[in-house]
Amino acid sequence: MLWATAGVVALGFLIALEIAARHCTGEPGPITNQAKEVIFAPKPGPLYGGMLLMMLVLTWRQRFIAVGAAIGIDVVFVLARWAADVKVTDGRYFGNGALWVMLGCAVIAVTRRTGRERLLLLKGVGLGLLLVAGRKAGDTWLLITAKTRPTVLDPYVATADHALGNPSWLVGRIVEASGPVGRFLLNGVYAQLALAAVAVALYQLRNVAAEGRFPRHHLVRTFLVIGLLGPGIYMIFPVVGPVFAYGPGASGTGGVEWAVTNVWPDVLPPISAPHPVLYDGITPRNCMPSLHTAWATAIFIHSRKGPRFLRYAGTFWLVATLTATLGFGYHYGADLIAGVVFTLTIETALRTIDRGWDRSGIQLVAYGTAIFTALLVSYRYLPMEMAGHPWVFGPLLVLAMVSVIYGYVRTTKRWEAKAAPARQPEPQPELV
């Protein structure tokens, strides 16, 4: 029932986003863009990542057949495009095969499977397709934010960020000093966040086929909910980031003609009364909160139960992602604090639902929501006070984030202690 409800909600959301995209931007939405990839050249990464998740419900023999079928279909498509002299861009040479395999497994589940086998296979297909659709939905959301929010609130966040010492300017200079090697490494980590998430998810879901069921909670759930709720905050608090509002822009958008002043990362922005500023209609307003920070935090949390290598990788990915988001000028320090609180609140909410609305979980969700709301309100309405008293507001911002972290660690440890089976006393030898 829960999976059916989630499927209906997801479908309704995608339909609503399709309508909103066509109305607000005049462009097709996630459903249309996904349907095109049945034939047209797609981005291969998300599709093969989704297929990997789907294959967790298959046997090893079925997995080999699925991979072989996907590669074979892609070879046919590549040869057909080469014969027809069809030009593709951005390395989109293959990926259709993965989508065809997922759709084929859905057809097999409906026509050739029954009972628990059918349900498990449909869950696997749904999870894989939902991961791909989430990527499409995110791209559509970003376009909607750019088209419907002509002004941005970067001066407010940049002013408030003085309370934290303007970390984006500091880390930006460090990254520039690291040269091309440092930038290449950080850019790889930043761009391949989904790859790290798939690796952790594959570990968490490795026993699905053998056990015939999914675990009650796993990383993919948190990832999808973060992606679902985060863009809604973008619409309320549109921010483009330091490299755009105070620099030359990046990734082909922005420019000095749109910047408040071109000073990032060499000169700190002056403290002056902030006001909304007009920005271009292309750059996504995707800074508040930092979803890259939110997703990296979720990867870190879910990697804690894995082997040592996975724990180290989760820690590295979190630190490198935080460095990249600041060092490339994509986010302010205030965004990162909001992103951590955002993730922990969502993670607690999902685990609380699994536990039947545990009281301590509800209290922590309410507390995290209150802290997150207070952060946004303070960034918007108290930036001058924050910049004028950094030794007061800086520690307060960090303390607010740490209090949510502490609450999460304390609450989850209590849950795990209750869930652990009671230790049975060892039999004692009888005295004769």
Side-chain angles (χ1 to χ4, degrees):
M1 190 65 183
L2 179 62
W3 280 83
T5 302
V8 171
V9 171
L11 179 60
F13 172 74
L14 291 174
I15 293 174
L17 199 56
E18 179 79 24
I19 296 171
R22 293 181 179 276
H23 175 73
C24 298
T25 69
E27 299 289 336
I31 296 177
T32 302
N33 288 330
Q34 189 62 69
K36 287 180 179 179
E37 293 186 348
V38 173
I39 300 297
F40 295 99
K43 288 184 178 180
L47 288 169
Y48 270 93
M51 190 182 77
L52 281 175
L53 287 179
M54 182 211 68
M55 289 195 306
L56 290 170
V57 304
L58 304 178
T59 64
W60 278 107
R61 177 176 176 275
Q62 292 167 342
R63 290 169 186 173
F64 285 121
I65 293 174
V67 171
I71 294 174
I73 293 171
D74 272 332
V75 169
V76 172
F77 270 96
V78 169
L79 292 176
R81 292 188 184 108
W82 174 76
D85 196 26
V86 176
K87 303 298 181 182
V88 295
T89 58
D90 300 328
R92 298 186 178 191
Y93 297 103
F94 60 94
N96 304 90
L99 181 57
W100 277 61
V101 166
M102 285 190 283
L103 295 176
C105 286
V107 173
I108 291 173
V110 173
T111 60
R112 304 290 297 275
R113 297 288 186 270
T114 59
R116 291 185 60 185
E117 288 187 0
R118 170 186 290 176
L119 183 60
L120 186 64
L121 184 52
L122 285 177
K123 286 180 179 180
V125 172
L127 193 64
L129 290 177
L130 199 57
L131 183 68
V132 177
R135 179 69 177 265
K136 296 296 182 185
D139 293 342
T140 301
W141 259 122
L142 296 182
L143 182 59
I144 290 175
T145 64
K147 297 296 184 182
T148 61
R149 294 295 182 266
T151 60
V152 297
L153 303 179
D154 282 77
Y156 293 87
V157 184
T159 302
D161 222 38
H162 280 278
L164 297 170
N166 300 96
S168 181
W169 271 256
L170 173 62
V171 180
R173 291 194 292 270
I174 294 174
V175 171
E176 282 193 347
S178 69
V181 175
R183 294 184 65 87
F184 176 80
L185 175 62
L186 291 176
N187 186 66
V189 171
Y190 189 86
Q192 299 301 325
L193 185 67
L195 180 62
V198 169
V200 175
L202 289 176
Y203 174 78
Q204 289 184 319
L205 305 176
R206 66 193 183 282
N207 295 324
V208 169
E211 297 177 356
R213 62 180 179 84
F214 281 83
R216 298 185 67 180
H217 183 55
H218 50 82
L219 176 61
V220 180
R221 296 175 67 199
T222 307
F223 237 67
L224 291 173
V225 175
I226 289 173
L228 175 67
L229 299 181
I233 311 300
Y234 295 162
M235 301 293 287
I236 300 172
F237 209 115
V239 181
V240 290
V243 73
F244 297 99
Y246 294 93
S251 304
T253 64
V256 293
E257 67 274 17
W258 294 103
V260 177
T261 177
N262 187 18
V263 296
W264 186 88
D266 301 312
V267 181
L268 293 179
I271 299 176
S272 58
H275 57 86
V277 295
L278 187 68
Y279 209 79
D280 69 19
I282 303 175
T283 305
R285 279 60 166 155
N286 62 340
C287 276
M288 183 62 70
S290 168
L291 291 197
H292 258 78
T293 298
W295 283 319
T297 302
I299 291 172
F300 174 81
I301 291 171
H302 284 265
S303 67
R304 295 307 87 195
K305 299 297 182 182
R308 181 178 299 178
F309 170 77
L310 200 62
R311 296 197 303 270
Y312 286 165
T315 303
F316 166 77
W317 223 272
L318 175 61
V319 173
T321 299
L322 297 180
T323 304
T325 56
L326 293 173
F328 291 145
Y330 297 149
H331 290 281
Y332 304 90
D335 307 340
L336 272 59
I337 289 178
V340 172
V341 174
F342 187 67
T343 295
L344 293 177
T345 303
I346 290 174
E347 180 73 13
T348 304
L350 291 174
R351 296 189 65 173
T352 300
I353 293 172
D354 291 337
R355 293 181 59 83
W357 299 103
D358 180 272
R359 181 180 178 182
S360 60
I362 294 174
Q363 291 174 341
L364 184 55
V365 170
Y367 179 72
T369 303
I371 292 295
F372 182 76
T373 303
L375 290 174
L376 296 188
V377 171
S378 63
Y379 297 157
R380 179 63 175 82
Y381 295 105
L382 298 174
M384 291 296 292
E385 289 77 5
M386 297 173 73
H389 303 87
W391 293 106
V392 175
F393 284 94
L396 280 177
L397 290 175
V398 176
L399 182 61
M401 178 185 69
V402 170
S403 69
V404 177
I405 296 174
Y406 173 75
Y408 176 81
V409 172
R410 182 181 179 185
T411 301
T412 53
K413 279 188 176 180
R414 187 185 302 121
W415 287 345
E416 291 167 1
K418 290 181 179 180
R423 184 177 180 180
Q424 299 295 327
E426 296 181 2
Q428 300 295 325
E430 294 184 3
L431 296 177
V432 178

